Amino acid sequence: MQTFSTWHVCWQWMAAVLGIAAHAALAMPLVTAFTLLVGQHKKNELCCLGSREMMRLNLVLALFWPIVHISDVLLQFSHVQGKLNIPQGVSFWTPVMLPFSTAVVAWFIGVLCLSVQLILSRPTVEKTSARQISFFTATGACVCLSLLAALCFFAAQALPSCPFAGLPEGMTVYRAVMAITSSSFHVFFTYLSAAGGLTLWYLSRKPQLIQHWGGTKEEEQHAARWCTLWAMIGYIPYCLDRWGITIGFALRPGSMPAAIADRIPTLTAFSLAIVCWAVLFYRRAPRRLYVLNSLGLLFLLMGTSFPYLWAIMRNR
C-alpha cells in the first residue's frame, strides 16, 4: 500500500491551516449582510460602521483563498510521493480544469462585489461628535452586494466538486446538482465559525475602535456577542452529525472502524471550540473573557491540524 510522503502531508497541512483564513473570507459576506440588515432595522449606525470594518477584513482574508486554491489544484496533480504530474495539453478551459478555473472566476466576482460595496458604504458625512454619524448611503445596495458576494464565494466552494468532464454512470444532472449543493452548503456553514472568531479577534485588536465611533462599553459587548454567535453556530450541525455517527459505531459490537476512530480528536477539538464560544456568548462577551475566543480559534486550528499530525507520525 502506498503512503503519502511527509513532505506531501506537510504541504496539505499548511494549506489546511491557511484555509481557516480563506474559509472565513468566504463566509464573512453573509455575516456582513445580516449585520447591515440589523443595523438598518434598528437604525443603528454602529452596525453600519462595523460592517464596513468587516468588509475591509474580508478583502484581506480573501487574499488567502487563491493560495489555498492553487495548492489544492497542484495537490490534485501530484503523486503520493509529492511529485507533480500535470498532463500535457491541459489548459484552464479543458473539462478537467473547468472546476478550478470557474471557481477562480466566481471568487474574482465576489471580490469585485466586496470592493464596490466598500466604496458605496462610505459615510455620507464625517463624524463631528460622539453620536453625529449619518447612515451610509445605498445600504440596500450594500446588502445586495454582500449577498451576491456570499453567493459567488459559495460557488467558488462548490464548483471544484462539479464533474465537468462527465457525470458518473447512472447519475442525472439534477441528482448531481442536489448532491453537490447539499454537501457544499454543509461545509460552507462550518466556515461561519472561522468568520465569527476572526472578526471578534480583529475587534479585540482594536480596543478603542467602537469608542472612537461614539459607542458605549455595552454596545461593544453587543458587537462582540454578535461575532461570537456566528462563531458558535458554525460547527454545531457538523459536530452533532459526526458525533452521532461516532457514538453509533461505538455502541455496536466489534471494533470501531479506523476512519471513525481517527476523527475523534478532531471532533473533540471542534466541540471544545463551540464550548468556548458558547460560554463567551452566555456571559455576554465582556472584554476580560476575549481569551475564550482566542482559545476557540486555537481549538479550531488544532482540529484542522490533527489529521495531518497523525499522518506525519504514522509515516515515521
Coordinates of all heavy atoms in Angstrom, one line a residue, residues 189-236:
F189 N -21.4 26.2 5.8 CA -21.9 26.6 7.1 C -20.8 26.5 8.2 O -20.8 27.4 9.1 CB -23.1 25.7 7.5 CG -24.0 26.3 8.5 CD1 -24.9 27.3 8.2 CD2 -23.8 25.9 9.9 CE1 -25.7 27.8 9.2 CE2 -24.6 26.5 10.9 CZ -25.5 27.4 10.6
T190 N -19.9 25.5 8.1 CA -18.9 25.5 9.1 C -17.9 26.7 9.0 O -17.3 27.0 10.0 CB -18.1 24.2 9.0 OG1 -17.4 24.2 7.7 CG2 -19.0 22.9 9.0
Y191 N -17.8 27.3 7.9 CA -16.9 28.4 7.7 C -17.4 29.6 8.6 O -16.6 30.5 8.8 CB -16.9 28.9 6.3 CG -16.3 27.8 5.3 CD1 -16.4 28.0 3.9 CD2 -15.7 26.7 5.8 CE1 -15.9 27.1 3.1 CE2 -15.1 25.8 4.9 CZ -15.3 26.0 3.5 OH -14.8 25.0 2.7
L192 N -18.6 29.6 9.0 CA -19.1 30.7 9.9 C -18.3 30.8 11.2 O -18.2 31.9 11.7 CB -20.6 30.6 10.1 CG -21.5 30.8 8.9 CD1 -23.0 30.4 9.3 CD2 -21.5 32.2 8.4
S193 N -17.9 29.7 11.7 CA -17.1 29.7 12.9 C -15.8 30.5 12.7 O -15.5 31.3 13.6 CB -16.8 28.2 13.3 OG -17.9 27.6 13.8
A194 N -15.1 30.2 11.7 CA -13.9 31.0 11.4 C -14.2 32.5 11.2 O -13.4 33.3 11.6 CB -13.1 30.4 10.2
A195 N -15.2 32.7 10.4 CA -15.6 34.1 10.2 C -15.9 34.9 11.4 O -15.4 36.0 11.7 CB -16.8 34.2 9.2
G196 N -16.8 34.3 12.3 CA -17.1 35.0 13.6 C -15.9 35.1 14.5 O -15.7 36.1 15.1
G197 N -15.1 34.0 14.6 CA -14.0 34.0 15.5 C -12.9 35.0 15.1 O -12.4 35.8 15.9
L198 N -12.6 35.1 13.8 CA -11.6 36.0 13.3 C -12.1 37.5 13.4 O -11.3 38.4 13.6 CB -11.1 35.6 11.9 CG -10.3 34.4 11.8 CD1 -10.0 34.1 10.4 CD2 -9.0 34.5 12.6
T199 N -13.4 37.7 13.2 CA -13.9 39.0 13.3 C -13.8 39.5 14.7 O -13.4 40.7 14.9 CB -15.4 39.1 12.8 OG1 -15.5 38.6 11.5 CG2 -15.9 40.5 12.9
L200 N -14.1 38.7 15.7 CA -14.0 39.1 17.1 C -12.5 39.3 17.5 O -12.2 40.2 18.2 CB -14.6 38.0 18.0 CG -14.6 38.3 19.5 CD1 -15.2 39.7 19.8 CD2 -15.3 37.2 20.3
W201 N -11.7 38.5 16.9 CA -10.2 38.6 17.2 C -9.8 40.0 16.6 O -9.0 40.7 17.3 CB -9.4 37.5 16.5 CG -7.9 37.7 16.7 CD1 -7.2 37.3 17.7 CD2 -7.0 38.3 15.8 NE1 -5.9 37.6 17.5 CE2 -5.8 38.2 16.3 CE3 -7.2 38.9 14.5 CZ2 -4.6 38.8 15.7 CZ3 -6.1 39.4 13.9 CH2 -4.8 39.3 14.5
Y202 N -10.3 40.4 15.5 CA -9.9 41.7 14.9 C -10.5 42.8 15.7 O -9.8 43.8 16.0 CB -10.6 41.7 13.5 CG -10.4 43.1 12.8 CD1 -9.2 43.4 12.2 CD2 -11.4 44.0 12.7 CE1 -9.0 44.6 11.5 CE2 -11.3 45.2 12.1 CZ -10.1 45.5 11.4 OH -9.9 46.7 10.8
L203 N -11.7 42.6 16.3 CA -12.2 43.6 17.2 C -11.4 43.8 18.4 O -11.2 44.9 18.9 CB -13.7 43.3 17.5 CG -14.4 44.1 18.5 CD1 -14.6 45.6 18.0 CD2 -15.8 43.5 18.9
S204 N -10.9 42.6 19.0 CA -10.1 42.7 20.2 C -8.8 43.3 20.0 O -8.2 43.8 20.9 CB -10.0 41.3 20.7 OG -9.1 40.5 19.9
R205 N -8.3 43.4 18.7 CA -7.0 44.0 18.4 C -7.2 45.5 18.3 O -6.2 46.2 18.3 CB -6.4 43.5 17.1 CG -6.1 42.0 17.0 CD -5.1 41.6 18.0 NE -5.7 41.1 19.3 CZ -5.0 40.9 20.4 NH1 -3.7 41.1 20.5 NH2 -5.7 40.4 21.4
K206 N -8.4 46.0 18.3 CA -8.7 47.4 18.2 C -9.6 47.9 19.3 O -10.8 48.1 19.1 CB -9.3 47.8 16.9 CG -8.4 47.5 15.7 CD -8.9 48.2 14.4 CE -7.9 48.1 13.3 NZ -8.3 48.9 12.1
P207 N -9.0 47.9 20.5 CA -9.9 48.2 21.7 C -10.6 49.5 21.7 O -11.6 49.7 22.4 CB -8.9 48.0 22.9 CG -7.6 48.3 22.3 CD -7.6 47.8 20.9
Q208 N -10.1 50.5 21.0 CA -10.7 51.8 21.1 C -11.6 52.1 19.8 O -12.0 53.2 19.7 CB -9.6 52.9 21.2 CG -8.6 52.7 22.3 CD -9.4 52.7 23.7 OE1 -10.3 53.5 23.9 NE2 -8.9 51.9 24.6
L209 N -11.8 51.1 19.0 CA -12.5 51.3 17.7 C -13.9 51.8 17.9 O -14.3 52.8 17.4 CB -12.4 50.1 16.9 CG -13.0 50.2 15.5 CD1 -12.3 51.2 14.6 CD2 -13.1 48.8 14.8
I210 N -14.7 51.0 18.7 CA -16.1 51.4 18.9 C -16.2 52.6 19.7 O -17.1 53.5 19.5 CB -16.8 50.2 19.6 CG1 -16.8 49.0 18.6 CG2 -18.2 50.6 20.0 CD1 -17.5 47.8 19.2
Q211 N -15.3 52.9 20.7 CA -15.4 54.1 21.5 C -15.1 55.3 20.5 O -15.7 56.4 20.7 CB -14.4 54.1 22.6 CG -14.7 53.2 23.8 CD -14.4 51.7 23.5 OE1 -14.0 51.4 22.4 NE2 -14.6 50.9 24.5
H212 N -14.2 55.1 19.5 CA -13.9 56.2 18.6 C -15.2 56.5 17.8 O -15.3 57.7 17.3 CB -12.8 55.7 17.7 CG -12.4 56.7 16.6 ND1 -11.8 57.9 16.8 CD2 -12.7 56.6 15.2 CE1 -11.7 58.6 15.7 NE2 -12.2 57.8 14.7
W213 N -16.0 55.6 17.5 CA -17.3 55.8 16.8 C -18.3 56.4 17.7 O -19.4 56.7 17.2 CB -17.8 54.5 16.2 CG -16.9 53.9 15.1 CD1 -16.0 54.6 14.4 CD2 -16.9 52.5 14.7 NE1 -15.4 53.7 13.5 CE2 -15.9 52.5 13.7 CE3 -17.6 51.4 15.1 CZ2 -15.6 51.3 13.0 CZ3 -17.3 50.2 14.5 CH2 -16.3 50.1 13.5
G214 N -18.1 56.5 19.0 CA -19.1 57.1 19.9 C -19.9 56.0 20.6 O -20.9 56.3 21.2
G215 N -19.4 54.8 20.5 CA -20.2 53.7 21.1 C -19.8 53.5 22.5 O -18.8 53.9 23.0
T216 N -20.7 52.9 23.3 CA -20.5 52.6 24.7 C -19.9 51.2 24.9 O -19.8 50.4 24.0 CB -21.9 52.7 25.5 OG1 -22.7 51.6 25.0 CG2 -22.5 54.1 25.2
K217 N -19.5 51.0 26.2 CA -19.0 49.7 26.5 C -20.0 48.6 26.3 O -19.7 47.5 25.9 CB -18.5 49.7 28.0 CG -17.7 48.5 28.4 CD -17.1 48.7 29.8 CE -16.3 47.5 30.2 NZ -15.7 47.7 31.5
E218 N -21.3 48.9 26.6 CA -22.3 47.9 26.4 C -22.5 47.6 24.9 O -22.7 46.4 24.6 CB -23.6 48.5 27.0 CG -24.8 47.5 26.9 CD -26.1 48.0 27.5 OE1 -26.1 49.2 27.9 OE2 -27.1 47.3 27.4
E219 N -22.4 48.6 24.1 CA -22.5 48.4 22.6 C -21.4 47.5 22.1 O -21.5 46.8 21.2 CB -22.6 49.7 21.9 CG -24.0 50.4 22.1 CD -24.0 51.8 21.5 OE1 -23.1 52.5 21.6 OE2 -25.1 52.1 20.9
E220 N -20.2 47.7 22.7 CA -19.1 46.9 22.3 C -19.3 45.4 22.6 O -19.0 44.5 21.9 CB -17.8 47.4 23.0 CG -16.6 46.5 22.6 CD -15.3 46.9 23.4 OE1 -15.3 48.0 23.9 OE2 -14.4 46.0 23.5
Q221 N -19.9 45.2 23.8 CA -20.3 43.8 24.2 C -21.3 43.2 23.2 O -21.3 42.1 22.9 CB -20.8 43.8 25.6 CG -19.8 44.0 26.7 CD -20.3 43.8 28.1 OE1 -20.1 44.6 29.0 NE2 -21.0 42.6 28.3
H222 N -22.3 44.1 22.8 CA -23.3 43.6 21.8 C -22.6 43.2 20.5 O -22.9 42.1 19.9 CB -24.3 44.7 21.5 CG -25.2 44.9 22.6 ND1 -25.7 43.9 23.5 CD2 -25.9 46.1 23.1 CE1 -26.5 44.4 24.4 NE2 -26.6 45.7 24.1
A223 N -21.6 44.0 20.1 CA -20.9 43.7 18.8 C -20.1 42.4 19.0 O -20.0 41.5 18.1 CB -19.9 44.8 18.5
A224 N -19.4 42.2 20.1 CA -18.6 41.0 20.4 C -19.5 39.8 20.5 O -19.2 38.7 20.0 CB -17.8 41.2 21.7
R225 N -20.7 40.0 21.1 CA -21.6 38.8 21.2 C -22.1 38.4 19.9 O -22.4 37.2 19.6 CB -22.7 39.2 22.2 CG -23.4 38.0 22.8 CD -24.5 38.5 23.8 NE -25.1 37.3 24.5 CZ -26.3 37.2 24.8 NH1 -27.1 38.2 24.5 NH2 -26.8 36.2 25.4
W226 N -22.4 39.4 19.0 CA -22.8 39.1 17.7 C -21.8 38.3 16.9 O -22.2 37.3 16.2 CB -23.1 40.4 16.9 CG -23.5 40.3 15.5 CD1 -22.7 40.7 14.4 CD2 -24.8 39.9 15.0 NE1 -23.4 40.5 13.3 CE2 -24.7 40.0 13.6 CE3 -25.9 39.5 15.5 CZ2 -25.7 39.7 12.7 CZ3 -27.0 39.1 14.7 CH2 -26.9 39.2 13.3
C227 N -20.6 38.6 17.0 CA -19.5 37.8 16.4 C -19.4 36.4 17.0 O -19.2 35.4 16.3 CB -18.1 38.5 16.5 SG -18.0 40.1 15.7
T228 N -19.6 36.4 18.3 CA -19.5 35.1 19.0 C -20.6 34.1 18.6 O -20.4 32.9 18.5 CB -19.6 35.3 20.5 OG1 -18.5 36.2 20.9 CG2 -19.4 34.0 21.2
L229 N -21.8 34.7 18.3 CA -22.9 33.9 17.9 C -22.6 33.1 16.6 O -22.9 31.9 16.5 CB -24.2 34.8 17.6 CG -25.4 34.2 17.0 CD1 -26.0 33.1 17.9 CD2 -26.4 35.2 16.6
W230 N -22.0 33.8 15.6 CA -21.7 33.2 14.3 C -20.6 32.1 14.5 O -20.6 31.1 13.9 CB -21.3 34.2 13.3 CG -22.4 35.1 12.9 CD1 -22.6 36.4 13.4 CD2 -23.5 34.9 12.0 NE1 -23.7 36.9 12.9 CE2 -24.3 36.0 12.0 CE3 -23.8 33.8 11.3 CZ2 -25.4 36.1 11.2 CZ3 -25.0 33.8 10.5 CH2 -25.7 35.0 10.5
A231 N -19.6 32.5 15.4 CA -18.5 31.5 15.6 C -19.1 30.3 16.3 O -18.6 29.1 16.0 CB -17.5 32.2 16.5
M232 N -20.1 30.4 17.2 CA -20.6 29.3 17.9 C -21.4 28.4 17.1 O -21.3 27.1 17.2 CB -21.5 29.8 19.1 CG -22.1 28.8 19.9 SD -23.1 29.5 21.3 CE -24.4 30.4 20.3
I233 N -22.3 28.9 16.2 CA -23.2 28.1 15.5 C -22.6 27.3 14.3 O -23.1 26.3 13.8 CB -24.4 28.9 15.0 CG1 -24.0 29.9 13.9 CG2 -25.1 29.6 16.1 CD1 -25.2 30.6 13.3
G234 N -21.4 27.8 13.8 CA -20.9 27.2 12.6 C -20.7 25.7 12.6 O -21.1 25.0 11.7
Y235 N -20.1 25.2 13.7 CA -19.7 23.8 13.7 C -20.7 23.0 14.5 O -20.5 21.8 14.6 CB -18.3 23.7 14.3 CG -17.2 23.6 13.3 CD1 -16.4 24.7 13.0 CD2 -17.0 22.4 12.6 CE1 -15.4 24.6 12.1 CE2 -16.0 22.3 11.6 CZ -15.2 23.4 11.4 OH -14.2 23.3 10.4
I236 N -21.8 23.6 15.0 CA -22.8 22.8 15.7 C -23.4 21.7 14.9 O -23.4 20.5 15.3 CB -23.8 23.7 16.4 CG1 -23.2 24.5 17.6 CG2 -25.0 22.9 16.9 CD1 -24.2 25.4 18.2

